[in-house]
Amino acid sequence: MSYEHILVAVDLTEECDPVIKRARELSVSSQAKLSLVHIVEPMAMAFGGDVPMDLSQLQQQQFDQAKERLDRLIAKYPELSKDHCHLTYGQPRQEIHHLAKEQQCDLIVVGSHGRHGLALLLGSTANDVLHGAPCDVLAVHLIKRPS
Ligand code: AMP
């Protein structure tokens, strides 16, 4: 199966390497365009939307830090063109679906931890992205490193 435009979603941790590598392999074998997205979740969202303090400064720091990490990734993977790397605020599932539709992507690549038990109940981004996705979704199995 050949793809034309692959969107890889990354959390910008060290775990995103195998996810990008897989997406890159597929883009080479399909001669597909490769785009990348990271979503910065608004802090108020993480705290349930009702926080009695001004989070704007912290939020700006969070965004700047994400931008720095993204720039490092772009330097590490030359096939990731800056024009095709997106950094946006919002809820990961919603923003990934929106971008995939807008950019007419035919494959979304995410990492998956293969959660069990309670962690499974709490859900995962891969699971979330799969539901209602506008195109195929590939979940790259991530091996948990011993802590
Ligand atoms: P998680 O379920 O949060 O451990 O994340 C699993 C995968 O979802 C990651 O490897 C990424 O592919 C994707 N993901 C998680 N958080 C984000 C984010 N903020 N922006 C983009 N992709 C994300």
Side-chain angles (χ1 to χ4, degrees):
M1 176 136 188
S2 187
Y3 292 103
E4 287 182 8
H5 191 176
I6 298 170
L7 177 65
V8 57
V10 292
D11 57 9
L12 296 180
T13 66
E14 66 278 12
E15 280 192 345
C16 68
D17 277 319
V19 185
I20 296 177
K21 283 180 183 158
R22 192 77 186 98
R24 185 177 62 176
E25 279 166 19
L26 281 167
S27 83
V28 169
S29 63
S30 301
Q31 293 185 318
K33 188 167 140 184
L34 182 61
S35 292
L36 177 145
V37 64
H38 174 73
I39 292 101
V40 178
E41 284 186 80
M43 288 195 161
M45 213 182 253
F47 287 112
D50 196 17
V51 194
M53 58 179 162
D54 182 12
L55 293 174
S56 51
Q57 210 179 338
L58 270 178
Q59 201 136 299
Q60 187 58 46
Q61 278 175 12
Q62 192 191 12
F63 197 84
D64 292 345
Q65 197 182 45
K67 192 169 177 321
E68 263 174 43
R69 288 190 184 166
L70 184 59
D71 285 343
R72 263 182 262 142
L73 266 190
I74 295 170
K76 185 169 173 186
Y77 295 99
E79 50 280 275
L80 289 173
S81 132
K82 214 165 190 160
D83 294 344
H84 301 138
C85 290
H86 307 264
L87 187 58
T88 170
Y89 268 121
Q91 196 270 333
R93 173 187 188 266
Q94 208 172 311
E95 296 304 321
I96 292 167
H97 287 181
H98 174 77
L99 193 69
K101 263 191 231 158
E102 188 190 76
Q103 300 287 320
Q104 298 178 319
C105 298
D106 45 8
L107 178 68
I108 298 169
V109 180
V110 288
S112 166
H113 292 98
R115 289 177 168 85
H116 299 283
L118 189 60
L120 186 65
L121 286 177
L122 292 172
S124 72
T125 309
N127 215 11
D128 223 16
V129 168
L130 184 61
H131 291 282
C135 59
D136 289 1
V137 177
L138 173 70
V140 178
H141 183 65
L142 299 173
I143 295 151
K144 198 174 181 298
R145 291 184 190 185
S147 43

